Amino acid sequence: MSEFAIQAHDLVKVFRARWSGREVRAVDGISFTVEPGTTFGLLGPNGAGKTTCVKTLLSAVHPTSGHATVFGHDSRDMAARLPIGYLPENHRFPTYFTGAGMLDLYGSLSGMDSAARRRRIPELLELVGLEKWGDVRLGKYSKGMLQRVGLAQAILHEPRLLILDEPTDGVDPVGRIHIREILQGLEAKGTTIFINSHQLAEVEIFCRDVAILHKGKVALAGRVKDLTGNRGWRLVAAGVPEPLRAELAGDAPGPEGTVRFAFPDLAAANAALDRLRAAGAVIHSLTETTSTLEEVFVRTVKPQERTAA
Amino acid sequence: MIVTQTLALIRDTFHEAMARKIFWGLFGLSTAIILFFLLLLRIDVVEGGVATMSLFGYQSQRGMDVERMVRGVHGSIATFLYSFGLFLALFASSGLVPSLLEPGRIELLLSKPVARWHLLLGRYLGNVLIVLATSTWLVGGVWLILGIKTGIWTPQFLLAIFTTLFLFCVLLSVVFLMGVLFESAALATMVPVALMLISPILAQERTVVKLLSSETARTVWHTLYQMLPKVFDIGRTTLQLVRREPVESWDPFFTSALFGVAVLTVAVWRFERRDF
């Protein structure tokens, strides 16, 4: 039995057009693991293979080669889907159901007995702030409300693994915070959360690990903290002699005569600091700089696009 | 768990079918026919014959054999159900598979611990039960009202429910195959209706074979007749059953059942292999 919540091993998915026979390699040898009880973000530009990857985990797409496991079960086995709660992107819930009716349907399909459904449905409607909307048909729900009832559907059967495709899509900022709080509560209870999203800022706040897909491959993977942390050091000083500024590749002097320098590591920053002090410059600050996940994402995806071009 | 899931799939199909107005149309039409016999048709029976019969308040004395009249009504209802009712039921069912396969819906269903064959057959079963309920409502209602008004109880009329349902099951397998292959409600209606229309022509095999000069043409005709569902023949058998006449042959039921099972198997096989 695997100890991972998800383990993808060399997943490949090639789609073939029915008539022309043209092939599209949507997923091209993806391997990654998700530890139980962690939060994982799957990122990538449009067409990177994220959705195909998620659908392979859910067995909605059959891999051309490779395999994936969910808590040790082959993703193609029904047992692999028992511990999964899923919220699809662009979901289309049956609008002829009320909110409570829809939850009852998907709860039944998840294998919940009627007593458990009766207990959990009001709880979940309250949790997502829709307790007064349970008897209203989904056709009358706003997009944000559908997203919230969709989240309730995904967590109704208390899954060990929650797979969310753009969970805050169409939700207002207050609603986003609410959803984040719900997810944080689930994380605290040990639920593994796998998010496929374009909202890099949210993934950065919420996820411990990420994988960036590009053109069907894993372009970068690791802990968010490691990927975004310690990009370098920034030193700001005034009264810097021009030859030294040029030698240390400082920016042009600012309005108050301050100059900004960037160094790849602390040793280089200290060496420069000593020389600046010796030259009579006044040190304003020395700070560690970090990247945002967005910067990491762009740095990862852009060079590959340039190479491809 | 499998029972809970099956019931959920049936319930989903019922809700969706009810959301489609056409099933209400079929149900409403059946109710109108039942109300017609209940409220407007008054029959006085004297010694096995119709003494007076009134329709919309107009009285007529026919002196006709009451049993013959009841059989005639039963035959008409069975024909109506078997032709127009079946067409409406197929038309109403045609969208039920494409809607199941809509992006954003099918992925969620497939993410549940339900086998794909179970998903498809659960919907199939739900669809069959809806038509069973509607046919039972129409045939059972008319049978009950005529029975009470005339004292003639012919349970053979109730067999029309099952023969119609049987043929619906056969043609529904075509609806499901078209839905799985092409996700098109239009094709899912056209193909089974074409099979309904072509059946009376193919059924003239004995006559047509004599007219065909080519052996190949005769073989093709015979093969088509044997392979495709025998809508016309089963319709004739239904009338024979309702009228308590001897049934010529049960073969059309067996060959049609084989066709239905084969087509449904292909639909399930294709559904199992598809990517969504």
Side-chain angles (χ1 to χ4, degrees):
Chain A
M1 276 275 175
S2 162
E3 60 185 296
F4 294 108
I6 299 174
Q7 187 169 28
H9 180 72
D10 204 16
L11 276 180
V12 174
K13 180 61 195 178
V14 180
F15 289 108
R16 286 183 185 85
R18 191 183 282 183
W19 306 116
S20 67
R22 198 172 70 88
E23 289 189 351
V24 176
R25 220 172 169 82
V27 170
D28 192 6
I30 286 178
S31 298
F32 65 89
T33 55
V34 179
E35 290 172 29
T38 61
T39 47
F40 186 95
L42 189 67
L43 308 173
N46 291 333
K50 303 188 299 291
T51 302
T52 305
C53 183
V54 169
K55 286 182 177 180
T56 307
L57 297 175
L58 300 167
S59 200
V61 164
H62 303 294
T64 307
S65 65
H67 71 276
T69 59
V70 176
F71 291 110
H73 296 283
D74 191 302
S75 62
R76 288 165 295 188
D77 294 346
M78 224 162 60
R81 299 198 292 280
L82 262 172
I84 295 179
Y86 174 54
L87 175 64
E89 185 189 11
N90 300 324
H91 44 68
R92 202 173 283 206
F93 299 123
T95 51
Y96 43 83
F97 273 116
T98 62
M102 182 273 265
L103 292 177
D104 192 59
L105 169 73
Y106 288 114
S108 304
L109 293 177
S110 299
M112 295 175 76
D113 61 39
S114 60
R117 295 198 306 272
R118 273 198 303 274
R119 177 177 57 81
R120 285 284 287 166
I121 289 169
E123 278 177 21
L124 263 296
L125 284 170
E126 192 179 342
L127 181 71
V128 298
L130 293 173
E131 63 272 27
K132 290 178 183 163
W133 289 79
D135 296 328
V136 177
R137 278 179 189 255
L138 293 176
K140 296 198 185 299
Y141 281 34
S142 69
K143 195 173 179 197
M145 290 162 76
L146 283 172
Q147 200 69 7
R148 281 188 279 155
V149 79
L151 180 64
Q153 169 278 135
I155 61 181
L156 182 67
H157 57 296
E158 299 178 274
R160 291 166 67 199
L161 169 64
L162 192 56
I163 298 179
L164 307 170
D165 213 340
E166 301 291 354
T168 54
D169 190 28
V171 181
D172 61 44
V174 176
R176 283 176 186 218
I177 293 167
H178 187 199
I179 287 178
R180 201 185 305 145
E181 284 168 355
I182 293 170
L183 296 181
Q184 279 163 345
L186 292 168
E187 185 196 4
K189 287 180 187 167
T191 307
T192 311
I193 301 175
F194 182 102
I195 296 179
N196 178 12
S197 178
H198 282 107
Q199 302 286 338
L200 298 175
E202 282 192 12
V203 170
E204 185 172 355
I205 294 168
F206 188 69
C207 293
R208 194 193 79 171
D209 302 299
V210 291
I212 299 175
L213 298 192
H214 191 49
K215 297 189 173 164
K217 294 177 188 289
V218 177
L220 187 71
R223 296 212 170 176
V224 173
K225 188 179 68 179
D226 297 337
L227 296 176
T228 56
N230 198 22
R231 188 178 65 165
W233 293 83
R234 188 171 57 222
L235 193 154
V236 181
V240 181
E242 181 53 29
L244 190 56
R245 187 195 69 80
E247 190 187 336
L248 297 174
D251 293 345
E256 294 170 9
T258 53
V259 176
R260 287 160 37 121
F261 299 92
F263 302 102
D265 53 55
L266 189 58
N270 269 311
L273 191 143
D274 291 342
R275 291 183 66 191
L276 287 165
R277 292 284 298 266
V282 178
I283 305 301
H284 280 218
S285 65
L286 175 64
T287 49
E288 187 181 9
T289 56
T290 58
S291 304
T292 62
L293 191 57
E294 189 173 70
E295 287 166 336
V296 173
F297 181 85
V298 171
R299 276 207 304 273
T300 307
V301 170
K302 276 248 171 133
Q304 295 191 28
E305 281 180 352
R306 276 203 293 272
T307 309
Chain B
M1 189 161 95
I2 198 164
V3 175
T4 308
Q5 290 171 331
T6 306
L7 290 175
L9 291 169
I10 291 171
R11 201 170 65 233
D12 182 33
T13 312
F14 257 82
H15 275 276
E16 186 169 344
M18 291 304 117
R20 288 165 192 265
K21 303 290 181 283
I22 196 142
F23 270 113
W24 283 112
L26 190 57
F27 182 75
L29 207 56
S30 303
T31 307
I33 293 169
I34 291 168
L35 287 175
F36 167 81
F37 285 105
L38 181 69
L39 304 172
L40 301 176
L41 187 68
R42 295 184 186 282
I43 305 166
D44 291 326
V45 179
V46 178
E47 292 176 357
V50 175
T52 56
M53 190 164 77
S54 76
L55 181 61
F56 298 111
Y58 293 101
Q59 284 199 348
S60 64
Q61 262 187 307
R62 301 274 171 90
M64 65 163 69
D65 177 7
V66 70
E67 195 170 336
R68 205 172 134 217
M69 187 215 78
V70 169
R71 264 197 235 170
V73 172
H74 284 174
S76 306
I77 296 294
T79 307
F80 167 81
L81 180 67
Y82 192 79
S83 52
F84 190 63
L86 197 59
F87 170 75
L88 272 186
L90 287 169
F91 186 60
S93 306
S94 62
L96 291 177
V97 175
S99 70
L100 183 81
L101 305 184
E102 280 178 344
R105 182 174 184 188
I106 186 65
E107 300 95 316
L108 183 54
L109 288 169
L110 293 176
S111 77
K112 301 295 174 192
V114 186
R116 288 191 180 200
W117 64 263
H118 190 184
L119 272 179
L120 199 67
L121 294 186
R123 179 145 278 233
Y124 182 89
L125 183 61
N127 211 333
V128 168
L129 289 176
I130 294 164
V131 173
L132 172 65
T134 315
S135 324
T136 306
W137 173 241
L138 173 63
V139 174
V142 171
W143 178 74
L144 203 65
I145 290 162
L146 280 184
I148 291 166
K149 287 194 172 185
T150 64
I152 304 284
W153 299 95
T154 48
Q156 287 85 350
F157 176 47
L158 298 177
L159 292 173
I161 298 170
F162 300 104
T163 54
T164 304
L165 191 70
F166 169 79
L167 195 68
F168 177 74
C169 290
V170 172
L171 294 175
L172 189 64
S173 65
V174 181
V175 171
F176 269 57
L177 179 62
M178 291 298 115
V180 169
L181 288 180
F182 304 109
E183 294 180 34
S184 159
L187 264 179
T189 311
M190 281 159 59
V191 176
V193 169
L195 290 174
M196 283 176 79
L197 294 176
I198 203 173
S199 178
I201 303 166
L202 287 174
Q204 308 308 314
E205 194 193 14
R206 282 178 200 164
T207 316
V208 173
V209 160
K210 286 177 198 163
L211 300 172
L212 293 171
S213 55
S214 156
E215 183 58 35
T216 313
R218 281 198 290 269
T219 308
V220 169
W221 193 284
H222 180 71
T223 310
L224 280 175
Y225 174 65
Q226 287 302 324
M227 277 179 60
L228 297 178
K230 295 175 182 60
V231 181
F232 180 77
D233 299 72
I234 294 172
R236 192 167 49 198
T237 306
T238 302
L239 276 181
Q240 285 166 347
L241 287 168
V242 168
R243 290 172 180 161
R244 285 188 283 174
E245 293 167 1
V247 173
E248 284 173 24
S249 168
W250 293 100
D251 283 352
F253 284 89
F254 295 122
T255 53
S256 301
L258 266 178
F259 173 88
V261 170
V263 169
L264 195 58
T265 306
V266 174
V268 170
W269 174 80
R270 184 66 196 125
F271 185 58
E272 290 275 356
R273 290 174 60 90
R274 262 195 72 174
D275 290 321
F276 292 97

